[in-house]
Amino acid sequence: MILPMPTKRHYNDVDDCAQHIAEWLGADLRVAAPLGLGKPHGLLNALYRLTQKDTRRSMRLYTALSLTRPKPKPGLEARFLDPFLERHFGADQVDPQYAVDQARDALPSNVEVHEFYLQSGALLHSGSAQRNYISQNYTHVARDLTLQDVNLLVQLVARREGPDGVCYSLSSNPDLTLDFLKRMEAAGKPRPLCVAVVHPDLPFIGGDAEVAEDYFDLELIPATSPQLFALPRLPVDLAEYALGLHASALVKDGGCLQIGIGALSDALVKALLLRQQDNTIWRRALVALDVDGSTHALASWVGGLTPFETGLYGASEMVMDGFMHLQRGGILKRRSWDNLALERASAAGRLNAETPGGHYLRGAFFLGTRELYDWLGSTEKADPDAIDMCAVSNVNQLYGDHQALAMLQRRGARFFNTCMMATLLGAATSDTLEGGEVVSGVGGQYNFVTMAHELVDGRSALLLRATRKVNGGIESNIRWSYGETTIPRHLRDLYITEYGVADLRGKSDGECIEAMLSISDARFLDALCAEAKSHGKLATDFVIPDAWRKHRPRYLRESLLPLQQRGLLPTFPFGSDFNAVEQRLLPALSWLKSSGSHWRGKLRLLRAALSPGPEAADESEALRRMGLHAPATLTDRVQRRLLQAALRR
């Protein structure tokens, strides 16, 4: 039970604030905290420490995507990553200690952490994380939280002081906070104690994300704040670029776009920019990749082959760097008003013939690079209506009083998400391994897939690599069957690999199997075809077309060589957080890691170490960066020799 609020409501000391919260709420803390960037790590760590020290206390945390810095393995990985991580994240970066302990299976018995979305792959081996994982659609989280008797909500916010007093912005995370507090009120349940933790660098976003001072019960402005957690920019390889090129032909001018995060999404964004800025080259690349013409056939009625004139409207649960690049590239520009935005713009005197109306990007949370955070802040100042951060219920579904407007906003919607594996019958596995181990979570993927089926001209496209490396070998990501399913086959729509697009909507099982075979790696076609025939799902006289036999990495390299030679497919399409020497080291270290994962590779490493070959360019600089220019121990000398072999390879 929450005790009456004392007169003191503003704090600068984190531990002092945590102590008072613990005293007011009693021994049992049931805490809700936003996913990702909006989690106030310092305050959560202070509450966690109090609970650790006193076994009479308990703490149950409901959250998602607890961001921690990578923990490199000892050896070459640590030599490379330790200096980079300190430079990128800053020496003052604070990890959520509960997440660090949970990864080690070392949470105290009086602490429980329940997450509905995990940092991808980070907690596969944590027993407590796997047992306490809550599988939920993103839009159901607020509903389910009302059953948990949450008595404390903590959130990182931006703060603004003006003529009308103080106001806050939920900034990166209006996603669940808005929905959760409304549901608590509707259910007649006590409102939890709400604590605003102010961060000076968090961009102030207006609109739905802006709340009055009395929205929060307590304000904590720490004396110092660590840098905002920023994701490093990822490399993109040729297979990912090929996939992005196929996907970019399915986007309709004047439509709506949703994209996730990761290298596949970066490849799609880069391909969309190429379609806009160098359409002739983009078309040539697509022709070279499209061996059976299926992508072009789909583009003629699902997407388009021309640059964007009307432009796109963005509606994505996660706002990431790709939207920033699309806006700068003149693609993200179709605007839409909603009633609340109209009211606020009118009150602020921003409605006139010269001012473009409405927003071109709607999201529920944002996470990305520091460049993204700066862009969001500067865009808000220059064009306050451009970006609408709002409740996840307004982004991930069509139900409610906003349905008619949402359907209009999302005309021509293309929802792009990634999955790990797909079956020949059209089911997808995106979050869980066959043994039940959770890799990440459902998140909003199911929401967007079902929404695509509800919209008259909406389409869901699931992106996946055709193969993956396993213990030195290659396995197909397109399977006959798999033990876990994220998207059931009755919701099958579009699948995209580096080898093309499979359109499964409204198709029979036999037609779906043929379509999925057409985007599979050629090395697995015969086995997949035989499996389908053995179950009576493919005609016995079906013959694999010769064009599909070209679906091999070599063909991708040959098809994309002209773009590579023009410098249009850089390893880091949007810049890199690694310096030139580190970028030189990356492929060498990747080769060492891959080779060391199986016995054949280890033999290859041994041969290379015994005969590394002539000295490579910039080798001495790379050795110095790794601290191996003057090896002092036998281990150092072995690591130096292996690294030299990899650099000279």
Side-chain angles (χ1 to χ4, degrees), residues 557-570:
R557 290 194 295 271
E558 293 171 355
S559 300
L560 296 178
L561 183 60
L563 268 72
Q564 274 195 305
Q565 291 173 334
R566 288 171 173 261
L568 296 174
L569 303 179

Side-chain angles (χ1 to χ4, degrees), residues 145-159:
L145 269 180
T146 61
L147 306 175
Q148 303 301 334
D149 296 326
V150 170
N151 57 14
L152 175 63
L153 184 147
V154 297
Q155 175 148 1
L156 212 62
V157 301
R159 184 181 191 272

Side-chain angles (χ1 to χ4, degrees), residues 257-320:
L257 182 67
Q258 181 262 332
I259 45 179
I261 193 170
L264 294 180
S265 297
D266 286 349
L268 168 59
V269 170
K270 185 67 174 178
L272 287 170
L273 290 168
L274 188 61
R275 171 179 162 182
Q276 179 79 354
Q277 297 163 356
D278 200 337
N279 191 259
T280 301
I281 293 296
W282 174 80
R283 286 194 187 209
R284 288 175 183 170
L286 200 60
V287 168
L289 288 171
D290 192 16
V291 295
D292 61 0
S294 59
T295 300
H296 278 79
L298 270 173
S300 65
W301 63 282
V302 171
L305 298 173
T306 59
F308 299 93
E309 294 183 9
T310 304
L312 302 178
Y313 170 80
S316 185
E317 67 177 28
M318 178 175 179
V319 172
M320 37 73 82

Side-chain angles (χ1 to χ4, degrees), residues 318-346:
M318 178 175 179
V319 172
M320 37 73 82
D321 285 60
F323 289 105
M324 171 182 67
H325 298 303
L326 291 173
Q327 188 272 334
R328 289 173 172 172
I331 296 175
L332 189 71
K333 61 183 181 181
R334 176 169 75 80
R335 293 184 179 244
S336 173
W337 285 112
D338 59 29
N339 292 334
L340 180 59
L342 272 170
E343 291 174 8
R344 290 183 173 176
S346 178

Side-chain angles (χ1 to χ4, degrees), residues 117-267:
Y117 197 94
L118 311 177
Q119 197 168 350
S120 186
L123 296 172
L124 274 171
H125 305 294
S126 168
S128 64
Q130 293 294 324
R131 289 189 298 273
N132 290 326
Y133 165 74
I134 300 177
S135 185
Q136 297 165 300
N137 287 334
Y138 201 169
T139 51
H140 295 160
V141 174
R143 177 202 67 189
D144 296 346
L145 269 180
T146 61
L147 306 175
Q148 303 301 334
D149 296 326
V150 170
N151 57 14
L152 175 63
L153 184 147
V154 297
Q155 175 148 1
L156 212 62
V157 301
R159 184 181 191 272
R160 178 181 289 172
E161 195 164 347
D164 297 327
V166 172
C167 59
Y168 300 108
S169 170
L170 303 180
S171 189
S172 63
N173 289 89
D175 52 333
L176 291 174
T177 301
L178 295 173
D179 282 337
F180 169 56
L181 293 180
K182 283 181 181 177
R183 282 186 170 272
M184 288 290 280
E185 182 181 3
K189 296 206 169 188
R191 192 175 190 270
L193 181 71
C194 296
V195 182
V197 182
V198 177
H199 196 291
D201 300 328
L202 201 62
F204 193 102
I205 308 294
D208 286 352
E210 185 177 334
V211 296
E213 184 178 15
D214 61 3
Y215 195 82
F216 288 95
D217 303 302
L218 299 180
E219 176 190 73
L220 169 62
I221 306 180
T224 59
S225 298
Q227 293 185 73
L228 292 172
F229 192 100
L231 298 175
R233 287 170 284 197
L234 299 174
V236 176
D237 65 22
L238 279 184
E240 290 157 345
Y241 270 125
L243 195 153
L245 285 163
H246 284 293
S248 64
L250 304 182
V251 180
K252 180 178 289 188
D253 189 21
C256 171
L257 182 67
Q258 181 262 332
I259 45 179
I261 193 170
L264 294 180
S265 297
D266 286 349

Side-chain angles (χ1 to χ4, degrees), residues 73-128:
K73 296 177 182 177
L76 289 173
E77 186 175 311
R79 285 180 179 274
F80 178 77
L81 280 180
D82 281 341
F84 168 76
L85 294 175
E86 183 169 347
R87 183 180 78 232
H88 179 78
F89 290 106
D92 60 348
Q93 187 67 238
V94 177
D95 284 334
Q97 190 58 44
Y98 69 83
V100 174
D101 291 348
Q102 187 175 47
R104 300 184 296 113
D105 257 341
L107 282 177
S109 59
N110 58 342
V111 174
E112 286 184 18
V113 179
H114 298 273
E115 301 197 57
F116 70 89
Y117 197 94
L118 311 177
Q119 197 168 350
S120 186
L123 296 172
L124 274 171
H125 305 294
S126 168
S128 64

